[in-house]
Amino acid sequence: MSVTTTPLTDSAPLTREAGTRLVEGWTALWNGDVALADQILAPDFRLHFADDFDGTGSAAAFGRDELTAFVSANSLALTGVTFAAAAAPLVDTGRGEMACRWNEVHGEVVVKSGIDMFAVRDGRISAVWSLTGNRSFAA
């Protein structure tokens, strides 16, 4: 997937379109396109896991480099696994925050679902709080 993002400036608020592009980039990153990290993640980015995500331990927090190393290492081990947004993100343009539901898919079967909450600063994701469940959300 090819994703193009244009970082916003302090004077440009987060828009629904920009939020959607960031979530598309976030999903592509989780699917192995770690080159997107510099485009979509702020230099001081932090990812906070609310629960044990495979290979992280509880209360884990990753910076940008740790996340890309984790995704790269797991992309090789997780052949046939993809991540996909389950719906368009909810974007709070005034606060510069967004949320999205996502699925982890093995082949064509959804095996896990989760919710990610994002903080966006200067057009890039500055923080994510992620909660993973071991089943899929009902439609």
Side-chain angles (χ1 to χ4, degrees), residues 15-131:
T15 64
R16 179 178 300 272
E17 294 79 17
T20 298
R21 285 193 310 271
L22 285 170
V23 168
E24 289 170 350
W26 176 251
T27 303
L29 188 152
W30 273 96
N31 284 316
D33 192 353
V34 295
L36 287 171
D38 289 340
Q39 293 176 353
I40 66 168
L41 304 178
D44 60 345
F45 166 82
R46 295 302 291 171
L47 169 59
H48 308 273
F49 290 106
D51 55 0
D52 290 342
F53 184 79
D54 297 340
T56 65
S58 61
F62 287 172
R64 185 165 63 182
D65 294 340
E66 295 152 317
L67 174 61
T68 57
F70 177 79
V71 169
S72 293
N74 283 288
S75 290
L76 298 174
L78 299 176
T79 302
V81 174
T82 57
F83 297 90
L90 300 174
V91 179
D92 184 331
T93 59
R95 294 177 52 100
E97 297 176 347
M98 38 188 208
C100 76
R101 290 183 294 123
W102 56 266
N103 294 318
E104 179 181 322
V105 182
H106 295 210
E108 294 185 25
V109 178
V110 175
V111 296
K112 294 183 182 181
S113 292
I115 298 173
D116 288 348
M117 297 171 39
F118 301 81
V120 177
R121 186 180 68 246
D122 298 330
R124 292 196 263 174
I125 300 167
S126 58
V128 176
W129 294 266
S130 186
L131 178 62

